[in-house]
């Protein structure tokens, strides 16, 4: 029993040999891994850059038609017609002019219909009828997010 007490009470100091062993193992690891590193020009990769094209790139202008809960219709936040009317003559005339100008520019008209979740489905049908009269085919739908 005495011997155990004397072993625990002795201060052996800082042992440098185990530290040197760990340092040599780490150094060996990094030396081996340094040979496995590939040089950047060996990799077959291309970084993004500018691309030159022979034809001009077309940019499409998206128009947004919003349908409110009470039936109000707006094109790009500009209100059109009365919510009580089933026909939308002002919206239809504006869509016809938009279609004519896009045909002259040879670019398609993109329309997104953003409908309030509480809006009547019939009002969306009225807007689709106005789009059909104008001859606009590229239509997508979305709903407004509830708060």
């Amino acid at each position: 029993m005495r011997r155990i007490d004397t072993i625990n009470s002795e201060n052996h100091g800082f042992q440098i040999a185990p530290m040197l062993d760990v340092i040599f193992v780490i150094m060996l690891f990094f030396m081996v891994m340094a040979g496995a590193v590939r040089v950047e020009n060996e990799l077959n990769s291309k970084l993004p850059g500018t691309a030159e094209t022979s034809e001009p790139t077309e940019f499409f202008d998206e128009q947004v038609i919003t349908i409110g809960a009470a039936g109000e219709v707006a094109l790009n936040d500009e209100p059109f017609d009365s919510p009580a009317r089933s026909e939308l003559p002002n919206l239809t005339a504006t869509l016809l002019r938009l279609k004519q100008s896009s045909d002259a520019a040879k670019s398609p008209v993109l329309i997104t219909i953003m409908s309030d979740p509480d809006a009547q489905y019939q009002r969306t049908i009225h807007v689709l009828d106005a789009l059909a009269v104008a001859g606009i085919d590229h239509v997508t739908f979305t709903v407004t997010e509830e708060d």
Side-chain angles (χ1 to χ4, degrees):
M1 209 87 156
R2 211 171 182 190
R3 185 167 193 185
I4 293 173
D5 290 337
T6 58
I7 292 174
N8 289 337
S9 64
E10 292 178 12
N11 185 4
H12 295 289
F14 182 72
Q15 298 292 319
I16 193 91
M19 287 299 291
L20 288 175
D21 289 342
V22 169
I23 290 173
F24 283 129
V25 168
I26 291 173
M27 190 170 68
L28 179 67
F29 171 77
F30 284 116
M31 287 172 56
V32 169
M33 291 306 294
V37 174
R38 298 181 93 183
V39 180
E40 191 172 319
N41 61 2
E42 291 179 5
L43 300 175
N44 292 330
S45 62
K46 293 185 179 182
L47 298 176
T50 59
E52 296 184 23
T53 60
S54 60
E55 299 176 4
T57 305
E58 293 183 21
F59 292 101
F60 304 110
D61 189 22
E62 180 183 17
Q63 308 296 321
V64 179
I65 297 177
T66 55
I67 303 172
E72 58 274 352
V73 176
L75 174 66
N76 296 331
D77 296 328
E78 183 180 337
F80 281 91
D81 300 312
S82 170
R85 294 185 73 173
S86 61
E87 302 88 21
L88 301 168
N90 294 336
L91 179 65
T92 304
T94 303
L95 291 174
L96 280 167
R97 286 192 308 271
L98 179 65
K99 177 68 173 167
Q100 289 171 353
S101 66
S102 68
D103 287 344
K106 296 183 180 179
S107 66
V109 179
L110 302 176
I111 299 288
T112 299
I113 298 176
M114 186 180 298
S115 179
D116 189 275
D118 297 329
Q120 293 182 353
Y121 295 122
Q122 188 62 35
R123 196 58 172 172
T124 305
I125 300 300
H126 296 156
V127 171
L128 288 174
D129 289 341
L131 289 167
V133 168
I136 297 174
D137 298 335
H138 303 287
V139 179
T140 57
F141 291 91
T142 184
V143 294
T144 57
E145 295 181 12
E146 295 181 18
D147 294 332

